[in-house]
Amino acid sequence: MNLIICCTPLQVLIAERIIDLFPDEDFMGVMYSLTWNKKYAYYAQRLEAKCSRFIRVKGLACDSKQLRNRPLAYWQTLKLLRQGFKMRGGRKVFLANIGINDLKFLLHQCREATFYSYDDGTLNLSKKAFQAAFLLASQEDGGYERLLRKFFWLPRAPELVARFAHHYTIYKLENVFEPNTYVGLFSSSDRPSIAQAKEVSVFLGQPVYEFEDVTGEKDKRVTKVILERYNIPYYLPHPREGYHVDGVQYIDTPLIAEDYFLSRLKEDSSLCFKVFTYCSTTAVNLGENPRVRFVAIKPEDLPNNLLETYEIIERAGTPIESLPSA
């Protein structure tokens, strides 16, 4: 039996494609999460439906207070090790996140497995961001973990990266992992079968000013300017948005953005989308789909931490339009 570990809803979408590449092999699915909400629950069910066996793993860092409570943290670590025993005998192991230290406690029964990697979102398109995550995950273990290493195989980030036999990617851009195989999020059935008749404009929300204005008022103000300027009738909110923008019809769905657009395209072969966004990586994830056009709106006072994401989006071919400060 193979093992595939997912940490985000997007990773579940990629995992579904990977599992389809091995129709004669059984998979055990693991949904690891630091938080739990309706979207995670929905995609956990999707992963479970694709696998012969399935478990949900609650991350050690799900409550920051636990990390300061050393006895409780030790107990949580032992729980992760116990769950790792359920993964005995995996021939192939597929995972995306090397920056989550918890995962090493789940893999101690997989010493003899062949390891494969797949995309952790656009992190795989940025050598700088990947290197930062790699260095963080490569830090020296504490004394407790060093003690556990005497009894268990606990692979650290450098060992995992060295053991990756192949990588699966949803991008046609340069990837930090080579060699790799492209597994698109959409298939030929998602392409137009008749002349395009209906283009629907949607704004894909994103709280870009969340660190400088926790009230969300600036995000609301700037977003409203965009909605009015481009006459956008529909709004697909980001899960982190704690605010509501008036004057636009919200799209209520349990699906993440990539899945929502793909599902609508399958339902209606004449439909296409023009998606306005700030710098959502959905523009990169679905950039190859001819029925979804993206326009990235770049405010003049954009926070610096988002500049690299715009560079990746532009590299993927999405046009970027400037927006004066609101």
Side-chain angles (χ1 to χ4, degrees):
M1 181 174 291
N2 302 328
L3 171 67
I4 192 159
I5 300 175
C6 299
C7 302
T8 67
L10 176 61
Q11 288 179 18
V12 173
L13 291 188
I14 304 173
E16 289 176 334
R17 271 60 175 185
I18 293 173
I19 292 171
D20 288 341
L21 296 177
F22 302 90
D24 300 324
E25 301 182 25
D26 291 331
F27 278 79
M28 178 178 186
V30 176
M31 191 71 187
Y32 170 96
S33 65
L34 300 178
T35 60
W36 196 252
N37 53 42
K38 290 182 179 179
K39 284 191 186 294
Y40 269 87
Y42 173 81
Y43 284 95
Q45 292 177 349
R46 288 262 297 259
L47 180 61
E48 184 175 12
K50 295 286 289 188
C51 298
S52 301
R53 293 178 60 199
F54 170 84
I55 64 171
R56 176 198 163 194
V57 175
K58 185 177 182 181
L60 177 60
C62 59
D63 183 351
S64 60
K65 293 181 180 178
Q66 290 182 7
L67 301 181
R68 297 193 294 269
N69 185 334
R70 188 165 297 178
L72 183 56
Y74 291 165
W75 173 244
Q76 293 284 4
T77 299
L78 293 175
K79 286 175 65 176
L80 291 174
L81 287 168
R82 182 172 176 270
Q83 288 174 308
F85 278 109
K86 300 177 183 179
M87 304 175 193
R88 190 189 308 271
R91 293 176 299 170
K92 300 172 184 169
V93 175
F94 299 82
L95 72 159
N97 298 81
I98 64 161
I100 297 180
N101 276 316
D102 285 3
L103 297 185
K104 64 175 175 283
F105 298 113
L106 300 175
L107 299 173
H108 60 87
Q109 292 291 309
C110 303
R111 183 194 292 268
E112 304 302 323
T114 302
F115 282 78
Y116 299 85
S117 57
Y118 65 96
D119 287 332
D120 182 15
T122 54
L123 180 68
N124 286 79
L125 303 181
S126 170
K127 293 182 178 179
K128 179 181 177 181
F130 179 84
Q131 187 63 22
F134 179 80
L135 291 175
L136 183 63
S138 304
Q139 291 179 356
E140 187 65 30
D141 295 332
Y144 177 64
E145 292 187 15
R146 288 198 296 270
L147 176 63
L148 289 176
R149 285 185 186 279
K150 293 182 179 294
F151 304 98
F152 300 98
W153 180 67
L154 304 179
R156 298 171 63 200
E159 184 173 1
L160 283 176
V161 171
R163 291 187 58 157
F164 285 147
H166 200 75
H167 183 79
Y168 294 90
T169 180
I170 59 173
Y171 307 115
K172 292 184 177 180
L173 302 174
E174 183 180 358
N175 202 291
V176 295
F177 283 128
E178 298 284 352
N180 59 59
T181 296
Y182 174 73
V183 285
L185 286 181
F186 62 94
S187 63
S188 58
S189 63
D190 299 320
R191 295 181 181 275
S193 57
I194 61 176
Q196 297 298 308
K198 297 181 292 185
E199 182 177 74
V200 177
S201 293
V202 177
F203 187 80
L204 182 55
Q206 185 180 2
V208 294
Y209 298 104
E210 60 185 329
F211 297 118
E212 64 180 70
D213 179 14
V214 295
T215 68
E217 288 302 315
K218 184 170 184 178
D219 278 297
K220 286 172 60 176
R221 184 172 68 253
V222 177
T223 298
K224 197 166 183 62
V225 169
I226 296 172
L227 294 173
E228 293 173 353
R229 176 171 297 187
Y230 294 95
N231 193 27
I232 304 170
Y234 296 102
Y235 188 90
L236 184 58
H238 191 281
R240 289 201 313 274
E241 290 180 18
Y243 52 86
H244 185 90
V245 181
D246 297 326
V248 65
Q249 183 173 335
Y250 268 63
I251 297 171
D252 183 17
T253 175
L255 305 177
I256 60 173
E258 292 86 350
D259 213 5
Y260 171 77
F261 292 120
L262 290 176
S263 65
R264 290 294 313 279
L265 295 180
K266 290 177 181 178
E267 291 170 0
D268 188 343
S269 61
S270 69
L271 181 65
C272 60
F273 287 100
K274 185 174 185 180
V275 182
F276 296 84
T277 183
Y278 289 111
C279 56
S280 171
T281 54
T282 301
V284 185
N285 299 342
L286 293 183
E288 295 291 328
N289 195 309
R291 295 170 63 188
V292 188
R293 293 194 298 139
F294 286 91
V295 178
I297 309 299
K298 186 177 182 180
E300 286 183 352
D301 59 349
L302 181 79
N304 289 334
N305 64 300
L306 297 176
L307 291 176
E308 186 177 18
T309 307
Y310 274 95
E311 292 174 3
I312 292 174
I313 287 175
E314 189 172 29
R315 225 164 66 216
T318 296
I320 296 176
E321 297 190 9
S322 297
L323 181 75
S325 299

